[in-house]
Amino acid sequence: MVRCKSLAASCCLLFVMFLFGAVHPSALAQSSTQSPAPQSDDTQVVAPPAHPQDRAELTATAWKLLQDALADDKHPDTKTQALAALSTLGSNPRAGQMITGAFTDKDVDVRTAAALAVGQTKNRRLAPALRALLDDKEPQVAFAAATTLWKLGDHSGQDLLSAVVDGDRPGNAGMVHGSMLAANRKLHEPAELAKLGALEGAQVLLGPFGFGISAYEYMKHNGGGNSPRVIAIENLSQLKTPAVRSEMLGAVTDKDPAVRVAAAKALSSYHDTGVNQALALLFQDTKKPVQLSGAAAYLISAGAVAAPVRLPPAD
């Protein structure tokens, strides 16, 4: 009798839950079946997102990744990685504002990376703001600003470049930028000149990982942006063919993070849904440089940012 009452109570409870939508009808039918067999250990189960993200949501996420990285005061390398990614966005005003905002960062490598990032954008509108770094107390920052301005057609840093040419000769009293007079001796120290040489081509600061000058030894011993696979991707990316697109989609999941970064940059010039989805997956990558490069590449690929002007391949 007691068992019957308990069964009746359970049935009533299920009926009430069904009325209020707490139990789907299919759940009642499944209650008497066996539980599904567990997944095998070698099967990776990835939970789907609660709802598919649309272009607007992914665009907002990409910008937030870049903004948060640039605000990470505890990790200067993360900031330089963000600047490396932002430098690929060409003359986009928002990216330009974020780059110039780093001109006043307390970290010397971040300020240097910001100066070099301006050159990578090829955005001449940023030249007036960049001139302020010619007075930076750190020679490597001022030198990066001068060389970047020169590449943009602005010769404001000519006196500073002349000071570097002068070498061990006495400093020119007619130099416009007074801070460089105080830094003249440091400017000509062998170790300081080695750092300035490391800036050439922006490979140290704005390679695939966006490392700062402090990581120069790491880059020298580990190849960095000069690895053969990365160079091969950069060359192949100049060909816009279905075969190259397929190759880049495969490389974007490579185990080498430097390869994933290079592939993401290459895919930014494709504007189809498949590429957009592949780049959006990089937002969850465990390596911060891959995340940030993927975010910047997505913004270009999805059309949220105008595609930067690219130089034609060499003959």
Side-chain angles (χ1 to χ4, degrees), residues 111-135:
R111 298 198 304 278
T112 307
L116 293 175
V118 171
Q120 297 294 308
T121 67
K122 301 179 176 63
N123 186 358
R124 289 184 171 86
R125 292 190 179 92
L126 303 182
L130 182 58
R131 291 181 199 132
L133 289 187
L134 292 172
D135 284 319

Side-chain angles (χ1 to χ4, degrees), residues 177-241:
H177 303 286
S179 62
M180 287 310 303
L181 286 172
N184 195 47
R185 180 177 296 178
K186 185 177 181 182
L187 182 67
H188 298 129
E189 292 176 357
E192 195 65 36
L193 287 173
K195 286 185 177 181
L196 301 187
L199 298 178
E200 181 60 30
Q203 288 299 313
V204 174
L205 284 168
L206 297 177
F209 282 87
F211 282 120
I213 284 291
S214 60
Y216 174 63
E217 289 300 319
Y218 178 95
M219 295 290 287
K220 186 167 64 175
H221 293 298
N222 292 277
N226 295 320
S227 76
R229 298 182 70 201
V230 170
I231 293 173
I233 287 175
E234 291 174 349
N235 290 335
L236 283 173
S237 67
Q238 297 173 1
L239 300 176
K240 309 304 178 189
T241 66

Side-chain angles (χ1 to χ4, degrees), residues 64-72 75 78-79 82 288 292:
K64 188 175 188 305
L65 282 170
L66 294 166
Q67 186 69 60
D68 289 351
L70 204 54
D72 188 352
H75 302 96
T78 298
K79 289 186 175 185
K288 184 61 72 173
L292 300 173

